[in-house]
Amino acid sequence: GENVEQHPSTLSVQEGDSAVIKCTYSDSASNYFPWYKQELGKGPQLIIDIRSNVGEKKDQRIAVTLNKTAKHFSLHITETQPEDSAVYFCAAARTGGFKTIFGAGTRLFVKA
Amino acid sequence: EAGVAQSPRYKIIEKRQSVAFWCNPISGHATLYWYQQILGQGPKLLIQFQNNGVVDDSQLPKDRFSAERLKGVDSTLKIQPAKLEDSAVYLCASSLGGAYNEQFFGPGTRLTVL
């Protein structure tokens, strides 16, 4: 079946450094790629998303890139802060949210 | 704006028992999703509703899981009978519907099957 691979599973960085999380998807019909942040005991919360007709999107310290040919997309967090510590999930979906598939998650630790 | 509400937050049952989870989506959201999140894994889509109709239940174990969305608003997910491997967090999400819509997640129900 279709899947989304996410790497690394754990990432530890020093406060102020950058963090990069990478995902690969297999469903060629996917055209919407959201990223979620999940804190302990809470549901995932959308932090940024990108559509297949865009190669890059930035929102303050967070940016996402998409290479549709290679079926790769990445999350970049700059100037990391301790409050960025959480589990991050990438996902791939078709129009209307159909066939939404999540990656396995990356646990990010930001050390003060 | 009120978020997605779920209840109960926690449930402990023994295997072969039945359990039901309830979800109230954000008002006006046409699309409702149920996900299963096993510890250390990403959410796995179980079923997706558009208003009160099912649009995708391909990953729902239909021999033991069932879900309904009455009047296109609230939804319930039931497991009967439960197995040990059903221990997970069950997340409900909703979205406006249409293309590329953000999914808003509830806090989830943590199920432990003993």
Side-chain angles (χ1 to χ4, degrees):
Chain A
E2 308 295 354
N3 72 324
V4 173
E5 293 189 0
Q6 183 172 345
H7 300 281
S9 56
T10 305
L11 180 59
S12 184
V13 300
Q14 205 68 35
E15 182 178 3
D17 287 350
S18 295
V20 180
I21 302 170
K22 298 182 178 182
C23 289
T24 303
Y25 64 98
S26 62
D27 184 357
S28 299
S30 295
N31 53 18
Y32 175 62
F33 306 92
W35 286 86
Y36 291 88
K37 176 183 181 182
Q38 187 173 30
E39 297 176 324
L40 198 62
K42 297 183 179 180
Q45 182 176 14
L46 181 78
I47 56 171
I48 195 168
D49 55 14
I50 192 167
R51 305 174 185 182
S52 59
N53 58 347
V54 175
E56 186 173 352
K57 183 177 178 180
K58 189 174 181 180
D59 182 5
Q60 299 182 336
R61 297 186 298 110
I62 296 173
V64 59
T65 58
L66 171 65
N67 182 330
K68 205 175 178 198
T69 302
K71 295 183 183 174
H72 290 168
F73 57 116
S74 301
L75 177 71
H76 303 252
I77 305 174
T78 59
E79 302 172 18
T80 54
Q81 301 167 3
E83 51 266 38
D84 293 332
S85 296
V87 179
Y88 291 81
F89 293 98
C90 62
R94 300 180 183 181
T95 301
F98 296 119
K99 301 299 182 185
T100 301
I101 302 173
F102 279 77
T106 296
R107 185 172 294 278
L108 174 64
F109 297 95
V110 180
K111 296 176 286 186
Chain B
E1 175 180 87
V4 176
Q6 290 189 247
S7 67
R9 290 296 314 276
Y10 306 91
K11 189 74 177 179
I12 300 174
I13 62 172
E14 295 189 349
K15 60 183 179 183
R16 291 188 289 274
Q17 286 187 323
S18 301
V19 65
F21 313 125
W22 173 81
C23 172
N24 180 234
I26 293 173
S27 177
H29 280 197
T31 307
L32 186 146
Y33 310 78
W34 281 103
Y35 290 88
Q36 179 192 59
Q37 186 175 24
I38 293 172
L39 187 64
Q41 298 182 19
K44 172 188 169 185
L45 180 66
L46 294 176
I47 189 167
Q48 179 179 348
F49 292 93
Q50 183 74 20
N51 296 308
N52 62 347
V54 175
V55 294
D56 185 3
D57 62 357
S58 58
Q59 298 196 92
L60 187 73
K62 299 180 186 63
D63 57 333
R64 298 185 300 106
F65 286 64
S66 64
E68 61 180 4
R69 189 181 185 196
L70 299 175
K71 299 180 182 179
V73 183
D74 293 6
S75 178
T76 56
L77 177 69
K78 297 179 181 178
I79 307 175
Q80 179 179 8
K83 293 185 176 182
L84 297 177
E85 58 261 37
D86 298 332
S87 293
V89 174
Y90 290 85
L91 294 163
C92 178
S94 70
S95 70
L96 280 169
Y100 309 118
N101 278 134
E102 175 183 356
Q103 294 183 33
F104 294 83
F105 283 82
T109 297
R110 180 175 296 278
L111 173 67
T112 302
V113 182
L114 302 175

